[in-house]
């Protein structure tokens, strides 16, 4: 299943098509015989597109020209309905590479959120792999299911969606990869370690520095995982017009941090990692902060059951200056 139904040939009834106007504004429509698309730029009849090749140009009744293309997964991701914040394509691309998602892989994902990451994972593992997604909130799970099925034209044979808590519901074993997109991924490490094969990999997606610090230290202190790595990715596009070549004024800055760690074989002890932390990095202030965080997490545990386990889980803390690329919502 390649997504967005047919990927080759002329447009047909039922195809999803993206219309882009001269200013770069994108409109996603589903072609229906006898149907029409209306905007302030006029009307475009669907019949003018049905039977035409991908990459055609169609003109509205007021003379506005639109480029008609089948949307890429990146276009679909940015324009689809959301219940929770999505994993942005720049971060999804990093997950695909750094977590080494391969065809035929067995992947566990939590939470499913709006289904953006589920689509990317399914594209990577193919029909011979398996993606088992968990989502605590039933309303988010419904949106995720609809977004995945709309993209692939129906239920994907390699996808299973469970409404529930990963720690309570996870029963998979021999899992190759685990992707955690939630408020407190460190709470799932026992379940993840039991599910992963030796050499398997866990990838965590978190929004804040406090979450980043906590998940890295918990992984580092767990003998079942090898030294974690963490980073963030920022995307800056460029304006290129003749001799005017410069960075665009807007860029996609912070959206989230990624952390990856490998599962060690049972019964082995990794050699102590040689590093030179800053003086006092693990002193009294660190211990006091960790104790306060532990106490806060314990006090807030009942509320966590209904907390958003979403595609970054942190819309409220996302930096206000972060810009969506053109073509997004």
């Amino acid at each position: 299943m390649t997504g967005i139904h047919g990927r080759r040939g002329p447009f047909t009834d039922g195809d999803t098509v993206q219309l882009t106007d001269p200013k770069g504004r994108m409109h996603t429509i589903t072609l229906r015989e006898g149907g029409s698309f209306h905007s302030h730029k006029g009307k475009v009849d669907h019949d003018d597109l049905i039977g035409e090749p991908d990459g055609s140009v169609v003109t509205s009744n007021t003379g506005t020209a639109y480029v008609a293309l089948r949307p890429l997964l990146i276009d679909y991701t940015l324009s689809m309905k959301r219940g929770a914040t999505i994993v942005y394509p720049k971060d999804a691309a990093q997950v695909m590479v750094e977590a080494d998602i391969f065809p035929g892989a067995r992947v566990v994902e939590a939470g499913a959120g709006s289904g953006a990451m589920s689509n990317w994972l399914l594209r990577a593992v193919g029909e011979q792999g398996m993606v088992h997604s968990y989502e605590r909130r039933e309303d988010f799970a419904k949106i995720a299911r609809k977004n995945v099925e709309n993209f692939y034209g129906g239920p994907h044979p390699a996808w299973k969606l469970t409404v529930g808590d990963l720690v309570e519901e996870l029963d998979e074993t021999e899992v190759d990869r685990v992707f955690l997109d939630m408020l407190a991924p460190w709470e799932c490490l026992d379940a993840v370690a039991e599910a992963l094969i030796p050499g398997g990999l866990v990838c965590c997606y978190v929004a804040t520095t406090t979450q980043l610090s906590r998940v890295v230290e918990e992984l580092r202190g767990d003998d079942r995982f090898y030294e974690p790595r963490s980073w963030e990715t920022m995307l800056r596009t460029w304006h290129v017009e003749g001799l005017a070549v410069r960075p665009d004024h807007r860029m996609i800055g912070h959206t989230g941090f990624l952390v990856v760690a490998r599962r060690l074989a049972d019964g082995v002890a990794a050699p102590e990692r040689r590093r030179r932390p800053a003086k006092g990095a693990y002193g009294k202030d660190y211990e006091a902060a960790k104790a306060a965080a532990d106490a806060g997490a314990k006090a807030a545990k009942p509320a966590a059951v209904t907390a958003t386990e979403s595609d970054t889980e942190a819309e409220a803390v996302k930096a206000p200056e972060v810009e969506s690329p053109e073509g997004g919502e």
Side-chain angles (χ1 to χ4, degrees):
M1 301 181 75
T2 57
I4 300 296
H5 322 307
R7 298 297 295 187
R8 296 186 177 93
F11 296 129
T12 62
D13 181 62
D15 271 356
T16 300
V17 175
Q18 183 174 271
L19 301 178
T20 305
D21 69 15
K23 289 189 175 181
R25 288 178 293 225
M26 298 178 183
H27 309 272
T28 303
I29 64 173
T30 300
L31 295 180
R32 300 295 180 198
E33 290 184 2
S36 57
F37 163 72
H38 295 264
S39 74
H40 67 289
K41 295 292 186 181
K43 181 182 76 166
V44 173
D45 290 325
H46 291 191
D47 289 341
D48 292 343
L49 283 169
I50 294 175
E52 295 298 312
D54 201 349
S56 295
V57 175
V58 63
T59 303
S60 71
N61 63 338
T62 60
T64 300
Y66 292 87
V67 176
L69 292 161
R70 288 189 175 93
L72 306 175
L73 179 50
I74 184 173
D75 303 319
Y76 180 83
T77 297
L78 293 171
S79 64
M80 70 187 191
K81 181 180 178 181
R82 304 180 191 180
T85 306
I86 65 168
V87 175
Y88 273 81
K90 70 181 181 70
D91 297 319
Q94 287 283 296
V95 173
M96 294 298 103
V97 174
E98 296 282 353
D100 193 34
I101 309 298
F102 58 90
R106 293 169 52 88
V107 181
V108 167
E109 174 199 17
S114 297
M117 198 65 215
S118 303
N119 275 326
W120 290 108
L121 292 170
L122 288 167
R123 167 71 66 78
V125 304
E127 294 185 36
Q128 303 306 313
M130 182 66 193
V131 176
H132 192 163
S133 302
Y134 292 83
E135 174 53 59
R136 284 175 174 172
R137 290 183 51 165
E138 188 170 358
D139 55 337
F140 285 171
K142 287 180 179 179
I143 293 172
R145 186 181 301 280
K146 184 175 181 180
N147 284 333
V148 170
E149 292 185 358
N150 282 349
F151 184 75
Y152 288 104
H156 196 291
W159 191 46
K160 181 180 178 182
L161 176 61
T162 297
V163 179
D165 187 279
L166 174 76
V167 174
E168 298 173 358
E169 302 288 343
L170 182 63
D171 57 4
E172 278 86 5
T173 58
E174 300 295 307
V175 171
D176 298 298
R177 305 288 185 262
V178 175
F179 177 72
L180 301 178
D181 178 8
M182 57 179 64
L183 285 172
W186 50 87
E187 294 178 354
C188 302
L189 294 186
D190 283 338
V192 168
E194 290 296 319
L196 279 173
I197 63 171
L201 182 146
V202 59
C203 178
C204 304
Y205 188 46
V206 293
T208 69
T209 54
T210 50
Q211 290 172 300
L212 173 66
S213 175
R214 180 69 180 272
V215 71
V216 167
E217 294 299 343
E218 292 288 345
L219 283 165
R220 189 172 283 157
D222 192 319
D223 293 339
R224 295 167 295 186
F225 293 96
Y226 189 51
E227 181 70 13
R229 295 187 297 110
S230 56
W231 72 96
E232 67 172 329
T233 304
M234 289 181 249
L235 176 66
R236 183 173 71 177
T237 56
W238 278 66
H239 171 90
V240 181
E241 246 352 289
L243 295 178
V245 181
R246 56 168 173 74
D248 281 330
H249 296 304
R250 297 188 304 169
M251 68 175 288
I252 305 175
H254 174 73
T255 48
F257 299 103
L258 285 166
V259 180
V260 296
R262 301 290 298 274
R263 174 70 160 93
L264 294 171
D266 292 331
V268 305
E272 185 175 353
R273 188 64 177 261
R274 293 186 179 181
R275 55 179 174 268
R276 301 173 67 180
K279 187 177 181 181
Y282 294 94
K284 294 181 179 179
D285 290 340
Y286 169 79
E287 295 298 335
K290 188 173 185 303
D294 289 342
K298 187 175 181 180
K301 187 123 185 176
V305 175
T306 58
T308 300
E309 182 172 302
S310 70
D311 269 340
T312 61
E313 256 314 12
E315 182 119 25
V317 298
K318 190 168 64 176
E321 66 272 21
V322 172
E323 297 282 353
S324 294
E326 291 188 11
E329 286 193 333

